[in-house]
Amino acid sequence: MTDATLPDLDHAVFIRRSIELAAASRAAGNHPFAALLVGPDGEVLMEQFNTFGEKGDSTGHAERVLMTRASVTYPVEFLRGCTMYTSAEPCAMCAGSVYWAGVGRVVHGISEHDLKEMIGPNPENLTMDLPCRTIFAAGQRRVEVIGPLLSEESAVVHKDFW
């Protein structure tokens, strides 16, 4: 897949939506993370909160749950032209789910590195300082990454949470 096949979208609009969703996730008793899937035409196809609080699933990261939903809903050929927007850089597990689902681009807010610095060694979120670009670079297909984008705005929802 070449970059030309991915749509030119207003990334700030969708990152801000992921931040709004992360705040709603927090308000619902979940960890403050969220993600959304945007189709090739710029339509929001799916939105997802983190599900740790409501289900107690430590693998219930918003990005992973979103990719599970997307991969059973859309063919990989379609997902290659889609973008996942997320309030924070995908962790290794979530980056793996993006790769396996077939999504063509990830746009994220705060970086894993900065999130780790902010959270520290919290047992509910032992953040790794492992960029999603590193995970994708180990694969056999290209996943475009844009970010961190609006990092300071993305960090606000984590203030006084951890």
Side-chain angles (χ1 to χ4, degrees), residues 83-133:
T83 303
M84 182 182 73
Y85 289 88
T86 180
S87 59
E89 182 173 9
C91 72
M93 174 182 67
C94 293
S97 70
V98 169
Y99 178 81
W100 289 111
V103 169
R105 177 170 51 202
V106 171
V107 181
H108 67 83
I110 190 170
S111 71
E112 270 284 275
H113 175 79
D114 289 349
L115 189 63
K116 182 181 177 188
E117 292 294 315
M118 177 187 296
I119 293 174
N122 187 293
E124 287 190 13
N125 194 29
L126 291 171
T127 304
M128 293 185 259
D129 189 354
L130 181 59
C132 66
R133 285 176 174 86

Side-chain angles (χ1 to χ4, degrees), residues 24-86:
S25 181
R26 178 179 174 162
N30 291 305
H31 290 172
F33 299 96
L36 55 129
L37 181 68
V38 175
D41 63 355
E43 176 187 1
V44 175
L45 303 172
M46 296 179 170
E47 298 180 333
Q48 183 64 53
F49 291 173
N50 181 289
T51 63
F52 178 82
E54 67 189 64
K55 296 186 178 183
D57 179 5
S58 59
T59 68
H61 295 191
E63 303 90 342
R64 202 273 310 149
V65 175
L66 181 69
M67 290 299 96
T68 297
R69 290 177 54 213
S71 71
V72 299
T73 303
Y74 301 106
V76 70
E77 295 80 16
F78 177 76
L79 290 172
R80 285 185 184 124
C82 293
T83 303
M84 182 182 73
Y85 289 88
T86 180

Side-chain angles (χ1 to χ4, degrees), residues 2-23:
T2 64
D3 293 341
T5 62
L6 290 167
D8 185 22
L9 302 170
D10 185 346
H11 301 310
V13 168
F14 295 114
I15 283 293
R16 285 193 173 106
R17 177 63 184 151
S18 75
I19 296 166
E20 290 171 7
L21 291 168

